[in-house]
């Protein structure tokens, strides 16, 4: 049976690449967002995730006209992938960013769990590591950034994502559902590789995100792997490509911009500082979109 996926925020920067990836993988994908996504094989429902009633409805109503013809009533979703959010600070007032992101995520997870969905994937963020939107220079505690790091952001967006991870954990504990939080690195769309030479010439531009990146299509693969990997309960996974988005070796970047940050373990020459070891080892992630495919080093 084809798996039915409800995807929130599919019309955004990451979703418009991850959703087609999931459609091509053979899933039936239904998008809920404030604006539609024009993409083959995807239905759209305009719904606001900050309204619990709308979210419960979205998860318990027909997605499209052909559902009526089948005459089998509303079919349950096999998984929810939740990306809808305010994606950084300085778009909305800080309290709105916090409210929309935390209540939106609470509403999506609560409705999904209470309606019997057993697999939920949510978008967390590398900003939970505390440096991206920090006041002034801040050191990371250590490199590379692994999932067991003591996350400590000081901004409303990063904090909202930490709270969302706790919300996910609470619902996973109570229900036994699998809820996987992806600490997504800086999302790169295919056309954005043209910016990489500028990043290479100015490595300080990407210092706050520890030179992380995740190709938006590789993020689709990660969502797919999460949907297929059952039984892990609550999990946090960094979602990043294998190497830094720089043509300078990792140790050299760290020595120049973070000379006081320790490395408790060895690191490969260009290995990413937002470590993707866990998604490679636990989920079997294999990146398909190394920046070197698109940019001359
Ligand atoms: N872009 C990045 O580099 C990055 C990095 C780390 C984490 N993330 C996270 O990944 C997810 C996707 O990010 P993105 O870059 O695609 O963001 P985006 O802003 O491009 O897309 C988010 C989508 O959510 C929708 N949305 C916002 N509020 C909503 C609401 N109340 N109800 C329904 N839909 C709503 C928007 O219309 C938009 O289509 C977000 O959760 C973001 O926090 C993004």
């Amino acid at each position: 049976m084809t798996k039915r996926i409800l995807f929130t925020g599919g019309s955004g920067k990451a979703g418009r690449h991850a959703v087609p990836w999931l459609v091509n993988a053979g899933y039936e994908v239904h998008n809920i967002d404030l604006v539609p996504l024009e993409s083959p094989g995807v239905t759209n429902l305009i719904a606001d995730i900050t309204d619990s009633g709308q979210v419960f409805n979205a998860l318990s109503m027909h997605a499209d006209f052909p559902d009526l013809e089948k005459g089998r009533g509303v079919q349950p979703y096999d998984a929810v992938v939740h990306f809808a959010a305010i994606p950084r600070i300085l778009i909305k007032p800080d309290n709105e960013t916090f409210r929309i992101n935390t209540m939106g995520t609470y509403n999506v997870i609560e409705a999904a769990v209470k309606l019997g969905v057993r697999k939920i994937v949510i978008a967390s963020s590398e900003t939970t590591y505390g440096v991206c939107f920090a006041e002034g220079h801040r050191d990371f505690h250590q490199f590379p950034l692994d999932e067991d790091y003591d996350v400590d952001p000081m901004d409303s967006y990063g904090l909202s994502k930490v709270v969302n991870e706790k919300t996910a954990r609470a619902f996973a504990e109570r229900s036994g559902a699998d809820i996987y939080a992806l600490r997504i690195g800086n999302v790169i769309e295919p056309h954005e590789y043209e910016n990489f030479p500028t990043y290479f010439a100015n490595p300080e531009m990407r210092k706050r995100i520890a030179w992380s990146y995740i190709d938006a299509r590789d993020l689709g693969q990660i969502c797919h792997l999460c949907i297929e990997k059952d039984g892990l309960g609550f999990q946090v996974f960094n979602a990043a490509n294998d190497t830094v988005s720089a043509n300078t070796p990792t140790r050299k970047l760290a020595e120049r911009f973070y000379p006081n940050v320790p490395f408790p373990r060895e690191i490969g020459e260009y290995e990413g500082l937002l470590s993707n070891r866990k998604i490679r080892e636990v989920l079997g992630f294999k990146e398909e979109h190394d920046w070197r495919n698109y940019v001359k080093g």
Side-chain angles (χ1 to χ4, degrees), residues 22 30 42 57 131 243:
L22 295 177
H30 303 285
V42 181
N57 249 274
V131 170
T243 61

Side-chain angles (χ1 to χ4, degrees), residues 165-213:
E165 291 182 2
K166 295 293 182 195
T167 302
R169 183 175 183 168
F171 275 100
E173 287 293 330
R174 186 176 287 282
S175 67
D178 290 334
I179 311 185
Y180 306 160
L182 302 178
R183 288 190 187 148
I184 298 170
N186 179 234
V187 174
I188 298 293
E189 295 183 89
H191 71 272
E192 291 182 304
Y193 287 106
E194 68 190 30
N195 300 329
F196 274 46
T198 309
Y199 300 156
F200 296 167
N202 304 283
E204 64 279 5
M205 285 174 72
R206 295 175 71 77
K207 161 188 150 162
R208 281 172 175 261
I209 53 169
W211 302 274
S212 77
Y213 79 105

Side-chain angles (χ1 to χ4, degrees), residues 2-6 28 30 61 63 67 75-79:
T2 306
K3 283 188 181 168
R4 296 182 85 227
I5 312 297
L6 186 110
E28 193 184 303
H30 303 285
M61 60 185 269
D67 291 346
Q75 296 300 298
Y77 282 99
D78 297 289

Side-chain angles (χ1 to χ4, degrees), residues 12-14 33-34 47-49 83-85 87 123-124 157 161 184-185 187:
K13 176 178 182 170
D33 200 302
L34 298 175
D48 185 339
I49 58 158
F83 274 26
S124 184
Y157 172 82
K161 295 294 187 179
I184 298 170
V187 174

Side-chain angles (χ1 to χ4, degrees), residues 7-16 31-36 45-51 54 82-88 91-92 100-101 104-105 122-127 157 160-161 164 182-188 214 219:
F7 200 109
T8 80
S11 313
K13 176 178 182 170
R16 60 180 169 253
N31 179 37
I32 68 170
D33 200 302
L34 298 175
V35 292
L45 183 71
I46 302 305
D48 185 339
I49 58 158
T50 64
D51 178 340
Q54 292 189 40
H82 169 49
F83 274 26
I86 306 304
R88 61 171 170 81
I91 296 173
K92 299 258 186 190
I100 293 167
N101 289 359
T105 298
I122 67 167
S124 184
S125 166
E126 65 184 329
T127 61
Y157 172 82
S160 77
K161 295 294 187 179
N164 290 347
L182 302 178
R183 288 190 187 148
I184 298 170
N186 179 234
V187 174
I188 298 293
I214 179 70
L219 183 55

